Amino acid sequence: MAITLYHNPRCSKSRQALALLEEHGVEVAVRRYLDEPLNEEELRDLMGRLDADGERLVRTQEPEWQEVEDTNLQDQEQVIAAIVRHPKLMERPIADDGKRAVIGRPPEDVLALLHAND
């Protein structure tokens, strides 16, 4: 089974999630989403597989958040537009097996994808 990890190598949680997946022998396709941002369709698809609400996908502590905060992110399309405009706002890491996606906060949460297919 291959898992896509939306990854920021500067983030310790993201590095920990990658290490955990590799320790469990998982084939990991790393997507450095800051270098290769997701487009609207990719974000919509990812959100459909995510085991959390869309607002949890946003990093509200980032300075870029101040530019979009007034929208209140009341729906999925506002979340998508904010992340497309500012990819740094996307929470990390996210592990995605194509059927289900999880936010790796804490990093051990990514291991839930391994047990989902048992």
Side-chain angles (χ1 to χ4, degrees):
M1 158 181 52
I3 290 179
T4 299
L5 184 69
Y6 297 95
H7 177 62
N8 178 348
R10 296 185 65 192
C11 171
S12 64
K13 303 288 187 210
S14 196
R15 291 191 308 268
Q16 290 170 12
L18 177 58
L20 281 169
L21 290 170
E22 289 174 339
E23 286 171 14
H24 281 81
V26 176
E27 180 184 335
V28 181
V30 173
R31 178 153 176 193
R32 295 173 69 163
Y33 68 92
L34 294 176
D35 297 333
E36 186 184 346
L38 283 74
N39 62 37
E40 289 180 13
E41 183 177 334
E42 289 172 315
L43 280 166
R44 209 171 280 114
D45 289 346
L46 179 63
M47 289 175 76
R49 293 187 298 279
L50 201 58
D51 66 345
D53 63 29
E55 288 183 27
R56 188 160 169 243
L57 190 60
V58 178
R59 296 177 54 82
T60 58
Q61 70 277 19
E62 297 293 340
E64 291 83 356
W65 175 247
Q66 301 307 313
E67 296 178 32
V68 295
E69 189 172 14
D70 291 337
T71 66
N72 294 318
L73 299 182
Q74 296 176 3
D75 66 28
Q76 177 175 312
E77 293 305 311
Q78 289 175 317
V79 170
I80 290 169
I83 294 172
V84 166
R85 207 169 29 244
H86 303 285
K88 189 175 182 182
L89 291 177
M90 189 169 93
E91 187 59 91
R92 61 188 181 253
I94 298 173
D96 180 8
D97 69 4
K99 295 177 186 163
R100 186 169 164 231
V102 295
I103 296 173
R105 296 258 172 191
E108 294 78 15
D109 284 359
V110 301
L111 299 178
L113 293 180
L114 306 183
H115 306 295
N117 296 316
D118 289 346

